[in-house]
Amino acid sequence: MARFSSLFFGLLVTVLVNAAPAPELTAASAASLSPSNLLGEIIDALGVGLVTQINTTITLDSLTTNLVSVDVELQNPLPFELTLDTVASTAGINGTVFASFNHTFSTGIVVPPFGKAKTGVIDNVLLTQGAIASLAIIPLGFLDLLEIDTNIRALTIDGFLGIPLTISDLHQTNVSTLYTLDLS
Ligand SMILES: *[C@@H]1O[C@H](CO)[C@@H](O)[C@H](O)[C@H]1NC(C)=O
Ligand SMILES: *[C@@H]1O[C@H](CO)[C@@H](O)[C@H](O)[C@H]1NC(C)=O
Ligand SMILES: *[C@@H]1O[C@H](CO)[C@@H](O)[C@H](O)[C@H]1NC(C)=O
Ligand SMILES: *[C@@H]1O[C@H](CO)[C@@H](O)[C@H](O)[C@H]1NC(C)=O
C-alpha cells in the first residue's frame, strides 16, 4: 500500500507539473525533475545573477605576487537550498580578463532559499594582467564575470546531501566590487 501510494503521488506530481502552463520551480517540483532538467531550470534562475558583491583585498605582496584575495556575496533566486562545493571564475572589464581563480570550499557554501551567503576569504586570485595594470580598474567599482564554472548541489539540507550538478560558463556583468588596500 505504501509503495502504491508513493507511486500514485509521484504520478500525480508529474501530471500536475506537466499540466501547469508555466510551472513554478518549487522544491517539490525540482525534486521530481531529472538532473538535466533541474540543471536547465537552475541555470535559467541563476541568469538573474549568482554573485551580488565582490570585495577584493590587495596587500603589498600583491604587487610582487600578483595575487589578491576576494570575499564574494552570493544570492540564491530559487525556493530551495543550494550548496556550492567548487567555483572557478574569470573576471574583467570589457571582455579583458583581469582576474582568475579556482577554489574548492573545505565546507560547501550553503545559500538558503531566496537568501544570500558569503564565501569567506578566497586566497590566490591571480591578477592575470599583473597588479600594476590592474590598478586602473579599481576606480570603476565593478567587474564583469566572464565565465563562472561551479559544482553545486541542489536541494541540500543544511549543506548535506542534494543533487550534484556541474554548471559551466555562467556570465554576469557589472557586479559591484570593493577594493581594500591592506597594508598591515
Ligand atoms: C564587503 O564589504 C562591505 C563593506 O565593508 C561589507 O558591508 C560587505 O558585507 C562585504 N561583503 C563581503 C562579501 O564580504
Ligand atoms: C581552473 O583549473 C583548471 C585546471 O587546473 C584550469 O583548466 C582552468 O583554466 C582554471 N580556471 C580558472 C578560472 O582559473
Ligand atoms: C569599455 O568599452 C567601451 C566601448 O568600447 C568604452 O567606451 C569604455 O571606456 C570601456 N571601458 C573600460 C573600463 O575600458
Ligand atoms: C552598473 O550598476 C550600477 C549600480 O550598481 C549602475 O549605476 C550602472 O548604471 C550599471 N552599469 C551598467 C553598464 O549596467
Side-chain angles (χ1 to χ4, degrees), residues 127-178:
L127 298 174
T128 51
Q129 308 283 330
I132 303 297
S134 303
L135 297 177
I137 65 168
I138 291 179
L140 301 176
F142 74 92
L143 281 172
D144 296 333
L145 300 176
L146 304 167
E147 178 180 347
I148 309 172
D149 302 324
T150 178
N151 287 301
I152 69 165
R153 281 172 290 126
L155 299 152
T156 48
I157 298 162
D158 295 332
F160 293 99
L161 304 171
I163 302 167
L165 298 168
T166 298
I167 298 182
S168 302
D169 212 13
L170 288 175
H171 307 272
Q172 222 183 308
T173 54
N174 199 26
V175 178
S176 166
T177 307
L178 279 176

Side-chain angles (χ1 to χ4, degrees), residues 75-158:
Q75 70 177 354
N76 178 359
L78 293 159
F80 48 81
E81 187 182 281
L82 296 175
T83 297
L84 274 82
D85 292 317
T86 73
V87 61
S89 185
T90 55
I93 298 289
N94 270 356
T96 301
V97 174
F98 277 87
S100 166
F101 73 92
N102 263 330
H103 191 76
T104 299
F105 299 106
S106 50
T107 313
I109 302 300
V110 177
V111 198
F114 300 126
K116 291 186 173 181
K118 292 179 188 176
T119 57
V121 174
I122 297 174
D123 287 318
N124 296 325
V125 175
L126 178 66
L127 298 174
T128 51
Q129 308 283 330
I132 303 297
S134 303
L135 297 177
I137 65 168
I138 291 179
L140 301 176
F142 74 92
L143 281 172
D144 296 333
L145 300 176
L146 304 167
E147 178 180 347
I148 309 172
D149 302 324
T150 178
N151 287 301
I152 69 165
R153 281 172 290 126
L155 299 152
T156 48
I157 298 162
D158 295 332

Side-chain angles (χ1 to χ4, degrees), residues 53 55 71-73 118 178:
Q53 169 77 39
N55 287 1
D71 191 344
V72 178
E73 186 185 66
K118 292 179 188 176
L178 279 176

